[in-house]
DNA sequence: AACTCTCGCAACCGCTTCTCA
DNA sequence: CTGAGAAGCGGTTGCGAGAGT
């Protein structure tokens, strides 16, 4: 008649269960998870109880609060430094759990992968759907691409200037790069590279502060490209310095030169950041503030980017 | 209005590491 | 030292909500 003692409940937690779990923690602290079930308090595994506590019930969690820009930055940099050590990364982000960080990262990666994949000529069929061609004016391109291991040398590679508003944002460092993907199928366009033009001052600053990486090149734009304001905004984000971190370093956490990262252990107050009006009311994209480059990539941002010849052709 | 797609999130699974008898 | 159980961690899955068609 009554449910078997062995029956283990799964799925979403009820408020009553949460209450039982909270009471248990009040009495015994966040441990002895298995005893919750063995005492018959809940028909959940200890593992499940622990997870529920850690991810949802623990005090001071920032549930329902989007990652602030600063948090994004931290995650990107720490992921580059530590790899997928979500629990470790989460310790730098008070109020965030490893699950939060993991979900944040994977969803952004997925979005980015989709966007980049849609840039591939072979997959262009799937990209037309949502938006019109973005407006983005390439003013000119200069010099031919060169490949070298030196960033200084790279700075003379093929670059493009553009008329988007990013040029007015001194915070924006103007390089984007793509990951050195170890999955050959990640891009079907043969790892063509991207690079945007630096103005000299900022470029020099960037060069001084960044590791040397092989810079992808922005494919030669077709003349007269016009991108929507939305895409211009996106493209401006692509020039965020942390874009470089994410792609250039994220895949090489074990590199000995992780010291090139600019951050150290906990260095900001994400709670404050979370509770700021901008973070809470969704206005964090206020153009007056540093942008969050991950947000809202238009699906077809790379629609007009042409395939480059593979480096072996150069 | 119905359907599809994408995203964010919660929770589970399986493996590894830790603790303790 | 060793083995069993507990705890921790990273990867994956499933679902609901919202936006787009």
């Amino acid at each position: 008649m009554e449910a078997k003692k062995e029956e283990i409940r799964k799925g979403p937690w009820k408020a009553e269960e949460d209450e039982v779990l909270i009471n248990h923690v009040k009495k015994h602290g966040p441990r002895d998870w298995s005893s919750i079930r063995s005492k018959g308090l809940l028909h959940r595994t200890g593992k499940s109880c622990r997870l529920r506590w850690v991810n949802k019930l623990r005090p001071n969690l920032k549930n329902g609060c989007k990652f602030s820009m600063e948090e994004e930055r931290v995650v990107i940099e720490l992921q580059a430094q530590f790899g997928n050590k979500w629990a470790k990364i989460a310790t730098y982000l008070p109020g965030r759990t490893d699950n939060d960080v993991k979900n944040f990262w994977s969803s952004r990666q997925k979005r980015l992968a989709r966007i980049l994949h849609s840039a591939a000529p072979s997959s262009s069929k799937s990209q037309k759907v949502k938006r019109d061609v973005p407006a983005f004016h390439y003013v000119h391109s200069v010099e031919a691409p060169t490949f070298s291991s030196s960033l200084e040398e790279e700075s003379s590679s093929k670059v493009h200037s553009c008329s988007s508003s990013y040029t007015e944002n001194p915070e924006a460092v103007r390089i984007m790069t793509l990951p050195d993907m170890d999955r050959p199928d990640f891009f079907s366009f043969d790892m063509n590279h991207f690079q945007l033009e630096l103005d000299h001052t900022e470029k020099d600053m960037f060069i001084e502060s960044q590791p040397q990486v092989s810079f992808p090149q922005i494919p030669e734009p077709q003349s007269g490209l016009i991108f929507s304001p939305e895409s211009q905004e996106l493209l401006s984000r692509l020039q965020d310095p942390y874009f470089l971190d994410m792609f250039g370093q994220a895949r090489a956490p074990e590199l000995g030169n992780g010291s090139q990262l600019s951050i150290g252990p906990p260095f900001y107050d994400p709670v404050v950041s979370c509770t700021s009006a901008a973070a809470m009311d969704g206005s964090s994209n206020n153009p007056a503030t540093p942008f969050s480059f991950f947000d809202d990539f238009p699906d077809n941002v790379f629609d007009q980017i042409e395939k480059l010849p593979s480096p072996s052709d150069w």
Side-chain angles (χ1 to χ4, degrees):
Chain A
M1 50 192 274
E2 70 266 40
K4 291 184 171 67
K5 263 199 268 185
E6 308 305 323
E7 193 171 313
I8 296 174
R9 192 178 135 67
K10 292 184 179 181
W13 282 66
K14 295 177 181 174
E16 309 91 82
E17 292 178 301
D18 283 344
E19 201 170 333
V20 170
L21 185 54
I22 290 169
N23 286 335
H24 171 86
V25 172
K26 279 180 184 170
K27 286 181 187 171
H28 305 97
R31 62 182 80 86
D32 295 334
W33 302 113
S34 297
S35 71
I36 296 172
R37 179 160 161 254
S38 62
K39 290 175 183 172
L41 298 175
L42 291 173
H43 297 300
R44 299 270 186 177
T45 64
K47 204 172 177 176
S48 178
C49 292
R50 178 192 154 271
L51 212 58
R52 180 66 180 174
W53 172 259
V54 168
N55 289 335
K56 293 302 294 180
L57 302 179
R58 215 167 24 133
N60 303 320
L61 288 178
K62 297 197 286 188
N63 283 333
C65 177
K66 277 189 70 172
F67 270 61
S68 68
M69 238 180 23
E70 186 64 13
E71 286 175 306
E72 287 187 17
R73 189 179 73 82
V74 170
V75 172
I76 291 163
E77 294 198 1
L78 291 177
Q79 202 280 343
Q81 185 171 357
F82 300 134
N84 296 357
K85 301 296 180 186
W86 308 121
K88 184 168 187 173
I89 292 170
T91 64
Y92 290 74
L93 298 167
R96 299 295 186 187
T97 69
D98 57 344
N99 217 28
D100 290 336
V101 177
K102 189 166 56 179
N103 284 335
F104 165 77
W105 185 263
S106 64
S107 67
R108 301 299 172 157
Q109 290 291 90
K110 263 189 275 180
R111 190 193 310 180
L112 186 63
R114 186 172 53 82
I115 291 166
L116 294 177
H117 210 92
S118 73
S122 60
S123 63
S124 58
K125 58 188 178 286
S126 64
Q127 47 189 330
K128 55 159 189 72
V129 272
K130 299 206 173 168
R131 296 182 180 87
D132 290 336
V133 174
F136 184 89
H137 299 270
Y138 280 104
V139 175
H140 64 275
S141 64
V142 295
E143 301 191 18
T146 61
F147 277 83
S148 74
S149 59
S150 156
L151 188 59
E152 275 89 351
E153 290 171 322
E154 286 292 345
S155 69
S156 64
S157 332
K158 178 171 67 182
V159 292
H160 307 290
S161 64
C162 66
S163 62
S164 60
S165 61
Y166 79 85
T167 54
E168 294 165 0
N169 181 353
E171 301 304 318
V173 180
R174 285 101 169 82
I175 285 183
M176 66 170 281
T177 179
L178 291 176
D180 182 17
M181 292 298 182
D182 50 19
R183 286 167 37 212
D185 61 333
F186 190 83
F187 305 113
S188 58
F189 56 101
D190 195 24
M191 278 309 297
N192 290 316
H193 299 336
F194 298 84
Q195 183 171 348
L196 296 177
E197 184 175 82
L198 305 169
D199 74 61
H200 291 304
T201 302
E202 289 163 348
K203 179 171 63 182
D204 290 344
M205 289 171 56
F206 181 82
I207 288 167
E208 287 172 9
S209 63
Q210 296 294 327
Q212 293 186 354
V213 297
S214 178
F215 281 89
Q217 302 288 320
I218 283 264
E220 185 76 32
Q222 304 189 43
S223 60
L225 285 184
I226 296 175
F227 290 81
S228 68
E230 174 187 44
S231 295
Q232 290 184 39
E233 201 272 341
L234 165 68
L235 286 165
S236 76
R237 291 178 178 191
L238 293 179
Q239 295 156 57
D240 187 286
Y242 301 105
F243 199 85
L244 174 69
D245 289 336
M246 185 184 80
F247 291 137
Q249 300 178 358
R251 294 221 149 224
E254 55 287 329
L255 287 180
N257 61 0
S259 60
Q260 290 161 322
L261 290 166
S262 60
I263 65 167
F267 55 92
Y268 92 107
D269 184 351
V271 173
V272 170
S273 135
C274 175
T275 54
S276 69
M280 298 301 285
D281 68 9
S283 65
S284 57
N285 290 334
N286 181 344
T289 65
F291 44 72
S292 169
F293 77 90
F294 272 131
D295 285 352
D296 302 325
F297 283 81
D299 287 355
N300 60 348
V301 63
F302 295 123
D303 283 5
Q304 301 304 311
I305 294 176
E306 206 174 36
K307 184 180 181 181
L308 275 186
S310 70
S312 61
D313 294 331
W314 297 350

